[in-house]
Amino acid sequence: MCEIRAKIAGLGKFLPDRILTNADLEKMVDTSDEWITTRTGIKERRIAADDVFASDLATEAAKRALDDAGMSAEEIELIIVAGVTPDMYTPSTSCIVQKNIGAVNAAAFDLNAACSGFIYAMTAANQFISSGMYKNVLIIGAECLSKVVEYKDRNTCVLFGDGAGAAVLTAATDGTGVLGSVLGADGAGGECLTLCGIREDEIDKERRPYGNTRTIWMDGSKVMKFAVRVMANSTKEVLENVGKTLDETKLIIPHQANKRIIDGAAKRLECDNDKIFSNVDKYGNMSAACVPIALCEAVESGKLTRGDLFVLVGFGGGLTWGSTAIIY
Ligand code: ACO
């Protein structure tokens, strides 16, 4: 019998129906489908209705993951929601989800590691499970970024979308599940991607000529250089740590910020593009929701089947990054 690991028992995703295309954005700001497609690979993104928030998206994704796992909400002992767009400072999104799905036996907390959030959540959940503290943990990446995007700013408004993805994790000793993770942070580099909370410094106001500091600002090219480097490095590092190779890996599922970042990482890793999952064209960057939605779609499309080794890898605000090697 193997050590106790967090195994993926079920997956679910939820995306709002409303689609914002590049053609729609051409009417809103000075941009073009050609610029957006060549610079980012994004064709469209989903936008939640005005009265729909991250907790609503998270709740739907959670219900679908529970269905997929054949588990009831009462069996869940811990809920972790990763994201940067909580409905409120308190109660946390995870507590709202706990109420909505009736997970009356679950502890609940939110985790903010920006776009790396789902990988941090997967790693934390694996620690709770492998220590024996919990058997069944629900992790969710949920974002309503359209609420914090300035739709007058062409530098950012073409990039982001809304969605949620969830995974039910359960204790397993059959050799599958999370083999290992690498997490990292560089707070000193955090200035290149910001979204204000209570504190608003002069610099935050200057950076946002349209006035609202509760919108995303970033130095895109700095983030991009950092992203390509850490995506490749942390994929290599996690595989090395768990004693596996890229050849043995069926699929790499990266954070979906930009097709050029994904292709750049593939080049650095010297691996075929078809080993790297991408759905960035359909949804854009949904921060913490990208990785679980991509994982869900990798399974739905048959690219990942039981027994396959895969790597989740991401980077984001903080700055943060992470990777985790898992046998599905
Ligand atoms: N349409 C047309 N032109 C545009 C647009 C647009 N939507 N946006 C910017 N431009 C212009 C710029 O103004 C600039 O013009 P200038 O040369 O006259 O000044 C020109 O295009 C080039 O801009 P760059 O910033 O150099 O373009 P780049 O090739 O770096 O692409 C992008 C920009 C897509 C933002 C890229 O840098 C990127 O994807 N960075 C990573 C972002 C990311 O991954 N963030 C993830 C974390 S998000 C999170 O954690 C919440």
Side-chain angles (χ1 to χ4, degrees), residues 29-32 35-36 39-40 84 113-116 143 145 153-160 193 195 216 218-225 227 255-258 260-261 285-288 315-318 320:
V29 287
D30 180 15
T31 191
S32 64
W35 192 97
I36 303 170
R39 297 293 180 119
T40 72
V84 296
C115 304
S116 321
E143 299 283 13
L145 290 170
D153 177 11
R154 70 175 184 174
N155 291 302
T156 50
C157 75
V158 302
L159 304 173
F160 299 103
L193 204 173
L195 169 60
I216 297 174
M218 77 176 171
D219 180 337
S221 53
K222 259 197 199 152
V223 177
M224 191 148 158
K225 280 180 206 135
H255 172 52
Q256 307 284 316
N258 182 325
R260 280 158 63 210
I261 296 176
N285 183 348
M286 299 171 289
S287 185
F315 63 91
T320 56

Side-chain angles (χ1 to χ4, degrees), residues 7-284:
K7 172 188 181 145
I8 297 172
L11 294 166
K13 64 171 185 184
F14 183 77
L15 292 139
D17 290 336
R18 190 180 149 210
I19 295 174
L20 182 70
T21 64
N22 291 352
D24 297 328
L25 285 160
E26 283 177 351
K27 293 178 205 137
M28 295 159 65
V29 287
D30 180 15
T31 191
S32 64
D33 173 48
E34 200 267 332
W35 192 97
I36 303 170
T37 306
T38 54
R39 297 293 180 119
T40 72
I42 303 167
K43 289 301 225 181
E44 55 189 48
R45 52 306 272 147
R46 300 301 179 95
I47 306 293
D50 288 350
D51 59 350
V52 169
F53 297 92
S55 69
D56 301 308
L57 307 177
T59 298
E60 289 309 314
K63 285 179 183 167
R64 291 174 188 194
L66 283 167
D67 264 7
D68 190 42
M71 219 181 263
S72 72
E74 290 85 355
E75 289 174 85
I76 298 296
E77 298 162 282
L78 174 66
I79 301 171
I80 308 174
V81 176
V84 296
T85 50
D87 302 20
M88 332 250 294
Y89 290 128
T90 193
S92 62
T93 308
S94 51
C95 281
I96 300 173
V97 170
Q98 191 239 24
K99 175 189 73 174
N100 289 351
I101 65 174
V104 289
N105 299 310
F109 68 88
D110 285 6
L111 180 160
N112 177 346
C115 304
S116 321
F118 189 79
I119 292 159
Y120 270 66
M122 178 72 81
T123 306
N126 187 50
Q127 296 304 311
F128 282 108
I129 287 174
S130 58
S131 71
M133 186 167 172
Y134 295 127
K135 284 197 173 61
N136 300 321
V137 179
L138 170 64
I139 59 171
I140 307 168
E143 299 283 13
C144 217
L145 290 170
S146 62
K147 305 276 194 283
V148 295
V149 164
E150 174 55 79
Y151 283 98
K152 292 182 193 129
D153 177 11
R154 70 175 184 174
N155 291 302
T156 50
C157 75
V158 302
L159 304 173
F160 299 103
D162 301 334
V168 173
L169 305 176
T170 194
T173 51
D174 61 1
T176 68
V178 176
L179 303 184
S181 297
V182 168
L183 300 179
D186 172 21
E191 287 242 317
C192 63
L193 204 173
T194 59
L195 169 60
C196 293
I198 292 167
R199 198 184 86 201
E200 297 172 309
D201 292 340
E202 276 316 305
I203 180 117
D204 298 313
K205 291 179 190 156
E206 277 163 31
R207 281 171 172 169
R208 292 164 179 82
Y210 303 101
N212 185 356
T213 57
R214 291 194 178 83
T215 54
I216 297 174
W217 176 88
M218 77 176 171
D219 180 337
S221 53
K222 259 197 199 152
V223 177
M224 191 148 158
K225 280 180 206 135
F226 152 77
V228 173
R229 181 172 42 85
V230 301
M231 293 260 276
N233 290 354
S234 67
T235 300
K236 278 187 199 155
E237 196 181 337
V238 78
L239 285 172
E240 233 172 73
N241 288 356
V242 302
K244 301 281 183 189
T245 64
L246 207 50
D247 281 345
E248 293 171 278
T249 307
K250 181 77 182 295
L251 203 61
I252 297 169
I253 302 177
H255 172 52
Q256 307 284 316
N258 182 325
K259 188 73 173 65
R260 280 158 63 210
I261 296 176
I262 296 171
D263 292 346
K267 206 168 154 199
R268 273 189 173 227
L269 285 166
E270 296 175 8
C271 82
D272 288 346
N273 276 14
D274 61 1
K275 205 175 220 176
I276 307 208
F277 188 87
S278 177
N279 58 6
V280 70
D281 56 324
K282 293 192 289 182
Y283 308 127

